[in-house]
């Protein structure tokens, strides 16, 4: 998508951070943010410990943009105790709850991206209700069950500017490979006619909002 490479120090920082994004998908996320970030701000739904925010922030630095990353940092359903992706080191014993915020802050500080990556700590649907700024790129990677991914799409997709990008993570057409809620919402976005698919990489799906002015 672009000839600009992810800086080696930021690639290493992203690979060291806790998270679930393979390097090839992270590189595609960087490429997409580089292409669209010059049009305006980038927003990520689902921060976790900051791995994908490093890829986005690296691109934002290159093009003079900024990344807002939204998460309540108490963990989505699939990373709670008893689930396959649970990481016990993220438990806060004081409250008996997950808390990924300290890990995020450490990852972003270590990467030197505190100017480019801005954390918004709160529920996605609450923040979306008051959000007014058009987005050049929206990356949806929050909760992966039906209700949260639907709320993320309904609340945030309307803010993607014409010609801007909408990116989904963990899209699996085959139910044996992953949950189907993100796949259904991705299909809904395509069926709306508001978005067209630009490219794919692994489980990433990169869409662009149709610009009526472009004819």
């Amino acid at each position: 998508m672009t000839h600009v490479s992810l800086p080696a120090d930021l690639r290493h920082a992203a690979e060291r951070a806790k998270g679930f994004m393979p390097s090839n998908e992270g590189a595609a996320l960087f490429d997409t943010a580089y292409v669209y970030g010059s049009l305006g701000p980038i927003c990520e739904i689902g921060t976790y410990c900051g791995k994908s925010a490093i890829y986005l922030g690296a691109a934002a630095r290159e093009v003079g943009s900024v990344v807002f990353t939204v998460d309540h940092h108490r963990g989505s359903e699939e990373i709670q105790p008893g689930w396959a992706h649970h990481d016990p080191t993220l438990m806060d014993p004081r409250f008996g709850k997950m808390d990924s915020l300290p890990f995020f802050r450490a990852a972003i500080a270590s990467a030197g991206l505190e100017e480019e990556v801005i954390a918004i700590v709160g529920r996605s649907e609450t923040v979306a209700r008051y959000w007014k700024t058009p987005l050049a790129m929206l990356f949806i990677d929050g909760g992966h069950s039906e209700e949260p991914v639907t709320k993320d799409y309904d609340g945030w997709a309307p803010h993607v500017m014409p010609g801007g990008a909408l990116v989904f993570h963990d899209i699996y057409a085959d139910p044996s490979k992953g949950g189907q809620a993100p796949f259904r919402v991705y299909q809904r976005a395509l069926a709306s006619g508001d978005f067209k698919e630009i490219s794919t990489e692994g489980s990433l799906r990169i869409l662009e909002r149709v610009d009526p002015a472009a004819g």
Side-chain angles (χ1 to χ4, degrees):
M1 184 178 288
T2 174
H3 66 279
V4 176
S5 298
L6 175 66
D9 60 331
L10 294 178
R11 176 172 55 81
H12 293 149
E15 290 174 351
R16 288 195 302 268
K18 289 179 180 287
F20 308 104
M21 176 164 288
S23 297
N24 63 310
E25 295 181 6
L29 197 64
F30 168 83
D31 288 347
T32 305
Y34 182 89
V35 169
Y36 292 92
S38 61
L39 303 176
I42 298 161
C43 185
E44 173 185 50
I45 309 303
T47 310
Y48 193 50
C49 295
K51 179 184 286 287
S52 55
I54 294 173
Y55 289 112
L56 294 170
R61 173 183 288 175
E62 293 286 336
V63 299
S65 189
V66 66
V67 179
F68 296 96
T69 182
V70 182
D71 200 315
H72 50 64
H73 286 279
R74 294 303 188 189
S76 56
E77 181 182 47
E78 58 269 19
I79 62 171
Q80 297 301 321
W83 288 72
H85 295 298
H86 176 64
D87 182 345
T89 67
L90 270 64
M91 289 297 295
D92 185 337
R94 297 170 299 175
F95 306 107
K97 296 180 180 180
M98 303 283 289
D99 187 3
S100 55
L101 183 57
F103 296 85
F104 160 78
R105 293 203 66 173
I108 297 303
S110 296
L113 291 171
E114 290 181 303
E115 294 297 317
E116 290 80 13
V117 180
I118 300 169
I120 300 177
V121 182
R123 290 196 169 276
S124 165
E125 64 267 28
T126 304
V127 179
R129 196 177 306 138
Y130 297 97
W131 190 267
K132 302 298 180 184
T133 304
L135 298 171
M137 177 180 170
L138 172 64
F139 177 45
I140 295 180
D141 192 25
H144 287 55
S145 54
E146 201 76 41
E147 183 178 7
V149 72
T150 299
K151 286 184 175 180
D152 290 343
Y153 175 74
D154 288 342
W156 288 98
H159 297 295
V160 177
M161 64 178 63
L166 169 61
V167 182
F168 290 98
H169 193 216
D170 295 321
I171 301 301
Y172 300 104
D174 183 349
S176 69
K177 294 183 179 179
Q180 293 297 284
F183 178 67
R184 285 191 288 270
V185 174
Y186 150 77
Q187 288 183 307
R188 180 182 159 200
L190 289 176
S192 72
D194 294 331
F195 295 94
K196 59 183 179 180
E197 188 162 280
I198 300 299
S199 63
T200 69
E201 179 62 47
S203 71
L204 279 182
R205 297 294 181 271
I206 300 161
L207 283 59
E208 184 178 286
R209 180 178 284 283
V210 175
D211 185 353

